Amino acid sequence: MALPVSDVERFEASRPGLEAIAYRLLGSASEAEDAVQETYLRWQAADVARVEVPEAWLTKVLTNLCLNQLTSARARRETYVGQWLPEPLLAGDPMLGPADTAEQRESVSFAVLTLLERLTPGERAVYVLREAFGYPHREIAAILDLTEAASQQVFHRAKRHVAEGRTRTEVDGAAARRVVEEFLAAATSGRTEPLVRLLTADAVSIGDGGGKVPARAKAFEGARAVATFMRGLFKPGKAKRALAGGTVAVHVDTANGDPAVVAVVDGRVIGVMCLEVTPEGIAGFRNQVNPDKLERATRRWAAADHGEPLFHAF
């Protein structure tokens, strides 16, 4: 049964917010889109006239769909080839959602999205709804069928787990970009020491190739190990050019609010490297090269002018 235009418009007005919630819960733009579409089908089948607060109803349906998805995703990730990382969202993507506060910006960063994988689905839902979207515990309790006190307890536990893996602070965007440009200059210099000086002692590099693109299954840990890897990664070679499918245009941009290196071949994004920049140096690299997780990034890239690349690799 077709919905009246007014009810369709009401859903569409809620869609950006629903997609932003779903992405933070799932770490996947494609899965977030599917969850929102399923929410629309539930909305279409509901007796909308009896829904007192549509936004609350939609958020409850969406969140519970995502909880089911997270439960099955855990089983799938046990058999995932190599490291699992979220799907990157480039600057301006509406699925990034609100970015008015430090908490909102941090909640969509690659570092935090990766840490959220440590949480149970319920903890993740409470954390996202409270930290990123400011839902009061009373409303979170209604969405998740908890008591208000239980919601508060779950949130404090989830926040503690995330904080245990992240003690970094925000860095000014312009300063972060300068650090990225310095990193690229050092990475292409052919020398290790300039790279080591830019990294924190406990720097980490993680890559996600999904079994489709070569990516080391184990993370590189420590400044020297990461620097050695990065020096080799940017070293020219015919095999790398063949693997990439041509000359790689290297751009400095942002992804998930983090400074990022975006690698593009003939308009196709083949890699997004998010850097965790801190006052002490670069603390982390999260490299997404799984082509299945770069389709949205490619579409977003094609929709805007990004100017000339910083340089061409390989």
Side-chain angles (χ1 to χ4, degrees):
M1 180 178 175
L3 285 171
V5 172
S6 60
D7 290 332
V8 174
E9 290 176 343
R10 179 172 290 175
F11 181 87
E12 291 303 324
S14 300
R15 184 184 290 273
L18 294 174
E19 287 188 343
I21 292 172
Y23 174 72
R24 283 168 169 81
L25 288 175
L26 301 173
S28 165
S30 57
E31 290 180 4
E33 289 174 335
D34 290 344
V36 172
Q37 186 58 28
E38 179 61 29
T39 302
Y40 175 74
L41 295 177
R42 304 281 180 99
W43 175 251
Q44 191 176 41
D47 184 355
V48 174
R50 299 184 63 182
V51 176
E52 294 182 5
V53 185
E55 290 74 16
W57 188 94
L58 291 169
T59 302
K60 183 180 178 72
V61 170
L62 174 79
T63 301
N64 282 285
L65 285 170
C66 289
L67 288 175
N68 292 337
Q69 182 76 6
L70 280 171
T71 301
S72 62
R74 285 186 166 227
R76 291 199 308 276
R77 286 170 194 168
E78 288 177 1
T79 60
Y80 191 82
V81 179
Q83 298 277 348
W84 182 94
L85 289 175
E87 184 175 344
L89 298 180
L90 298 181
D93 194 315
M95 199 176 279
L96 288 168
D100 299 326
T101 66
E103 291 78 13
Q104 288 172 336
R105 291 188 293 275
E106 188 173 71
S107 72
V108 79
S109 71
F110 246 46
V112 169
L113 287 176
T114 304
L115 287 171
L116 291 183
E117 292 292 305
R118 299 180 177 184
L119 307 182
T120 67
E123 288 173 340
R124 186 164 182 163
V126 171
Y127 181 88
V128 166
L129 291 172
R130 179 63 181 166
E131 189 79 347
F133 296 92
Y135 276 75
H137 285 290
R138 174 177 50 80
E139 293 183 18
I140 295 173
I143 290 169
L144 298 175
D145 296 322
L146 302 171
T147 64
E148 190 171 345
S151 176
Q152 293 172 338
Q153 290 173 356
V154 170
F155 174 69
H156 290 308
R157 184 168 64 245
K159 193 167 185 177
R160 184 174 65 251
H161 288 329
V162 173
E164 286 171 357
R166 181 176 173 82
T167 57
R168 311 299 181 184
T169 57
E170 280 198 299
V171 176
D172 172 74
R177 182 182 177 90
R178 287 195 297 273
V179 171
V180 176
E181 291 176 348
E182 288 176 16
F183 155 71
L184 288 171
T188 55
S189 71
R191 295 180 295 131
T192 303
E193 289 308 318
L195 274 168
V196 172
R197 289 195 291 270
L198 290 173
L199 308 179
T200 62
D202 60 350
V204 175
S205 177
I206 305 170
D208 178 351
K212 300 186 177 184
V213 173
R216 190 168 185 259
K218 186 179 179 182
F220 291 92
E221 299 181 355
R224 187 157 294 278
V226 172
T228 301
F229 166 67
M230 289 297 169
R231 184 192 64 189
L233 180 66
F234 285 93
K235 185 178 181 179
K238 291 182 179 180
K240 291 178 183 176
R241 179 185 170 88
L243 181 64
T247 300
V248 180
V250 178
H251 294 259
V252 178
D253 208 294
T254 61
N256 292 68
D258 295 325
V261 177
V262 181
V264 183
V265 174
D266 296 330
R268 176 172 54 91
V269 176
I270 65 164
V272 176
M273 177 189 291
C274 289
L275 281 69
E276 185 178 359
V277 179
T278 76
E280 293 76 32
I282 304 173
F285 299 85
R286 292 172 178 84
N287 316 309
Q288 184 55 263
V289 292
N290 183 344
D292 292 344
K293 297 184 181 182
L294 295 171
E295 293 178 359
R296 185 182 179 95
T298 293
R299 294 196 302 272
R300 293 292 305 176
W301 191 264
D305 179 13
H306 299 276
E308 292 298 313
L310 195 63
F311 62 88
H312 289 88
F314 314 143

